[in-house]
């Protein structure tokens, strides 16, 4: 199974400041089609998870451009250029290269 | 508008069974792979199973293989999860989600399963 490891697990951020979450996989997520099968999800308090990013660096429809994703192989990063209050919640990375599909432990972003 | 509405959760004794349903609307259900994901209280997300568009291919995490079965009825725009041999560690909020390419693009609100005597 591919193990997904996120850091940090807790991320206090001042509004307007940037934030960065790291996700590392135990195996490369680079598919033969040239894409990295890594996605990001946000679970806001009391809500279902919502889809943020796909194939490492592509924003889902409606996701603000202050969110960006990068990385390839085994190292990936989700960045928020300027954190807003509505960004609080738990962020998960997920690999979809092979089953079992696996998630990172989650990173809880909170506002200072 | 895409909507996924789970139902069928509840309190069940260890060793018991439950059948979860996920009613889909707002899209052509038969065009999409579907998935079940769960979240134990206070914990992270755990993928459980995928099913292809016509139900001929299914995939499971080892922890539920042989106990859970994912299925679908495209004529009723519905996804199911038959859960047998339930254990205390199966207590969780169960989500269905629509798969687009390699992403879980739309999620339901979840249905709570509690396994306890």
């Amino acid at each position: 199974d591919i193990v997904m490891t996120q850091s940090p697990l807790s991320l206090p951020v001042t509004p307007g400041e940037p934030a960065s979450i790291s996700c590392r996989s135990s195996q490369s997520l680079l598919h033969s089609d040239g894409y990295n099968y890594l996605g990001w999800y946000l679970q806001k308090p009391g809500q279902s998870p919502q889809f943020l990013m796909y194939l490492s660096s592509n924003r889902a429809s409606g996701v603000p451009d202050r969110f960006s994703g990068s990385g390839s192989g085994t190292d990936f990063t989700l960045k928020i250029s300027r954190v807003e209050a509505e960004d609080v919640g738990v962020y998960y990375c997920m690999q979809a290269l092979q089953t079992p599909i696996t998630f990172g432990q989650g990173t809880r972003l909170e506002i200072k | 508008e895409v909507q996924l509405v789970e139902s069928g959760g509840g309190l069940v004794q260890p060793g018991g069974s439950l059948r979860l349903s996920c009613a889909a609307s707002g899209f052509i259900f038969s065009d999409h792979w579907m998935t079940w994901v769960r979240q134990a209280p206070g914990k992270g997300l755990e993928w459980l199973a995928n099913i292809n568009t016509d139900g001929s291919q299914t995939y499971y995490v080892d922890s539920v293989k042989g106990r859970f079965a994912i299925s679908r009825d495209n004529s009723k725009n519905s996804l199911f999860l038959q859960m047998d041999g339930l254990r205390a560690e199966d207590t969780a909020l169960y989500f269905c989600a629509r798969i687009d390419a390699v992403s879980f693009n739309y999620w339901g609100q979840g249905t709570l399963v509690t396994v306890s005597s």
Side-chain angles (χ1 to χ4, degrees):
Chain A
D1 298 2
I2 298 177
V3 177
M4 306 297 291
T5 304
Q6 291 182 226
S7 62
L9 299 184
S10 179
L11 184 55
V13 183
T14 300
E17 293 297 304
S20 180
I21 301 171
S22 171
C23 176
R24 290 187 171 178
S25 56
S26 60
Q27 301 174 37
S28 175
L29 301 184
L30 183 61
H31 190 273
S32 56
D33 62 10
Y35 294 101
N36 287 277
Y37 282 24
L38 185 283
W40 291 94
Y41 298 81
L42 165 60
Q43 188 172 28
K44 295 183 177 182
Q47 296 186 18
S48 306
Q50 60 187 74
F51 174 45
L52 286 181
M53 310 283 297
Y54 63 100
L55 299 177
S56 176
S57 59
N58 298 275
R59 277 189 303 275
S61 176
V63 174
D65 60 8
R66 64 178 181 276
F67 288 88
S68 64
S70 63
S72 183
T74 60
D75 290 306
F76 301 90
T77 302
L78 178 70
K79 292 183 178 179
I80 310 173
S81 59
R82 297 173 305 280
V83 169
E84 298 187 3
E86 67 181 22
D87 300 334
V88 299
V90 181
Y91 290 79
Y92 295 93
C93 59
M94 183 194 88
Q95 68 80 18
L97 183 68
Q98 64 185 52
T99 57
I101 292 168
T102 46
F103 291 89
Q105 320 95 300
T107 295
R108 184 175 301 277
L109 186 148
E110 60 181 42
I111 298 296
K112 280 185 182 177
Chain B
E1 178 192 5
V2 173
Q3 284 201 325
L4 297 168
V5 179
E6 301 94 336
S7 61
L11 175 63
V12 61
Q13 292 188 340
S17 299
L18 276 179
R19 189 191 196 210
L20 306 184
S21 299
C22 171
S25 60
F27 64 101
I28 301 174
F29 181 69
S30 57
D31 282 353
H32 293 271
W33 286 54
M34 298 293 294
T35 190
W36 286 99
V37 174
R38 71 182 177 186
Q39 186 171 38
K43 302 298 185 182
L45 302 172
E46 180 185 24
W47 171 78
L48 297 178
N50 281 1
I51 188 167
N52 71 337
T53 54
D54 66 4
S56 62
Q57 297 175 49
T58 57
Y59 305 86
Y60 298 92
V61 68
D62 281 351
S63 60
V64 306
K65 204 173 292 184
R67 298 190 300 125
F68 291 10
I70 188 172
S71 63
R72 64 192 297 160
D73 184 340
N74 287 342
S75 69
K76 296 182 178 178
N77 294 335
S78 293
L79 176 72
F80 305 102
L81 186 68
Q82 177 65 43
M83 304 187 298
D84 299 322
L86 283 162
R87 307 166 180 167
E89 55 264 35
D90 295 319
T91 293
L93 188 60
Y94 285 71
F95 300 100
C96 65
R98 189 183 95 176
I99 300 175
D100 290 274
V102 295
S103 303
F104 298 171
N105 289 28
Y106 293 93
W107 298 64
Q109 85 290 345
T111 187
L112 182 63
V113 172
T114 303
V115 185
S116 174
S117 55

